[in-house]
Amino acid sequence: MRILGISALYHDSAAALLVDGKLVAAAQEERFSRKKHDAGFPQQAIDFCVRHAGLAFKDIDYVAFYDKPFLKFERLLETYLAFAPRGFTSFRMAIPVWLKEKLLQKTLLRDEMKRWIPDFDWHNKLLFGEHHQSHAASAFFPSPFERAAVLTMDGVGEWATTSLAMGEGSELQMVREIHFPHSLGLLYSAFTYYTGFKVNSGEYKVMGLAPYGEPRFKSTILDKLVDLKDDGSFRLNLEYFDYCTGLRMTNEKFDALFGGKPRKAEERLTQREMDLAASIQAVTEEVVLRLTRSVAQQTGARNLCLAGGVALNCVANGKVLREKVFDNIWVQPAAGDAGGAVGAAYAAYHGFCRQPRRVNGHLNAPQIDSMDGSYLGPEYAQPDIEARLQTAGARFETLPYDGMIETTAQALADEKAVGWFQGRMEFGPRALGGRSILGDPRSPSMQKTLNLKVKYRESFRPFAPSVLREDVSDWFDIDADSPYMLMVAPVVERRRRTMTADEQALFGIDKLNVPRSDIPAVTHVDYSARIQTVHRQTNPAYYDLISAFKAKTGCPVVVNTSFNVRGEPIVCTPEDAFRCFMGSEIEVLVVGNCVLLKEAQNPSLKRDYKGAFELD
């Protein structure tokens, strides 16, 4: 049985394909269209998934969409009626879009797909799952657990913003929900907006900024904005927000509460923004911890699965892990809306088609789930790589595998910035060693160099360490799998460096360039790190590279950031990788077995990449 899952027409459109219950392919449309967070119909992602499986479109048994457009339209309409006459201007602007994209979405989807499969039985074989059902299915069914509680937290689906489900075998039952407009995701997005970052894009920047500040507004948020109960349930005070009916997240009353108007994009960050970030991060962690405690108490479950955009908050995830109210935690690597495509397909396969579930792997095995390391996108054979690079005008040397690994490890040891393009592209927002820019974590200047000269992004943003799984507890205060870079843990005490009195007296981003450990490039200002454990079973080339780097340096850790510049989707093709290489200050590019040195390239191919993309 072949089921195609689709998420589309809001943000981060994607497609995923299940064949007889196995997830064989998944990709986001942005990687093909080169438009960040592309919300359009995922035509190219669908085409990739079907072709990768060696199928034709006529071979698809069901198409499953990740939410119910009519229910979403109902929520939008009821919200405006509830707040009328406030928001009439935005209502008048939005109605034509709603009629096309929400009320008539089923027709739109059918018309798009008919271009490929004109004879498909759309009346019976186009399925719709609820938004949080799709999220929950994406978290539970690929997980390694036979039984688990599933917590979904995001902005909003149709009505649900936070939900609890219970999964057992091939069954998934929704238990309880918190409904719009009371939303932890929208609360965090309100502060994303207020601190000058883009909603649905910049939330991870707020999380990265938080350690530079003090949570001095936490009590204000809990006193004025959020009525938080002991069990983690909550209600927002809507007097301070404008997202129900307006064209912005917050209002003048919010401004007055926090001492001024929202920061404008690209304005200089002040201590206020850092303290606001620290405060909303602290509140979010408090909500998530109370929710997970009550879920454990209510359900008796020993395993927890997480999905929804809030589940990408790896700092909160790390605190849940360390609290140990659950034995095991598994987070869907594409926890945001892109992962809804995976969940829609799984929900259709197990729920609608009543097919049995086969749990992949077991808890003591490095390969513990059915996501295959999230390496579910396109890959390129070596002859194809060479032909594409030659056509692009690249100058390269093709090395045997061992030589490629050795050369790359030496480049890292020499503190070079390395573009690394190997195997299948990752699904989800994190680069996991398939499409990554790598560096030496021991270098005190590497974080600043990569941010300002390679990624062209804000200097405060941290980088993640990729570490061999067997070495993780020797460097970080964690002894668990974190293959998807969704857990934060502190650097162990013996690897830390004590700051001087003068360094401790620094404030905010002045702290950035103070080395804090033996691996300063991946140690955040609070001694934390967003960890990716690397397993030979899921990514042998990346594992071999880090092992070779360890043999040279004694350090089993490398800096890992996504292979792109600010505002650009992660690279998908060898041509994308070469363009980014020539448009940034990456010094070495490794694509398959091909090694490219910047100084060997034709200077006329150099590109001005710094302003090539709309800033995220």
Side-chain angles (χ1 to χ4, degrees), residues 401-411 545 548 552:
Y401 178 81
D402 289 346
M404 178 272 291
I405 294 291
E406 168 67 21
T407 299
T408 309
Q410 187 60 54
L545 174 63
K552 289 181 178 295

Side-chain angles (χ1 to χ4, degrees), residues 259-380:
K261 292 185 177 296
R263 169 182 170 262
K264 293 180 180 179
E266 308 308 314
E267 270 188 347
R268 182 178 176 273
L269 285 162
T270 69
Q271 194 64 45
R272 183 186 73 145
E273 283 77 46
M274 298 173 206
D275 292 346
L276 286 164
S279 302
I280 189 56
Q281 179 63 32
V283 169
T284 299
E285 291 166 14
E286 183 66 26
V287 176
V288 172
L289 286 169
R290 290 193 193 187
L291 280 169
T292 52
R293 289 174 198 143
S294 69
V295 167
Q297 185 176 24
Q298 177 187 346
T299 66
R302 303 313 309 152
N303 303 311
L304 176 67
C305 299
L306 296 173
V310 177
L312 293 172
N313 193 306
C314 50
V315 179
N317 295 346
K319 293 196 173 182
V320 174
L321 179 69
R322 288 193 294 281
E323 196 168 73
K324 298 187 183 299
V325 294
F326 291 92
D327 295 337
N328 305 287
I329 299 173
W330 192 85
V331 186
Q332 164 56 241
D337 276 9
V342 171
Y346 271 116
Y349 185 76
H350 295 298
F352 182 79
C353 300
R354 310 303 300 170
Q355 294 297 308
R357 174 174 176 245
R358 184 174 63 251
V359 178
N360 186 54
H362 56 85
L363 294 182
N364 295 320
Q367 167 115 15
I368 63 167
D369 59 49
S370 299
M371 290 294 294
D372 284 337
S374 213
Y375 305 110
L376 296 165
E379 61 182 333
Y380 298 86

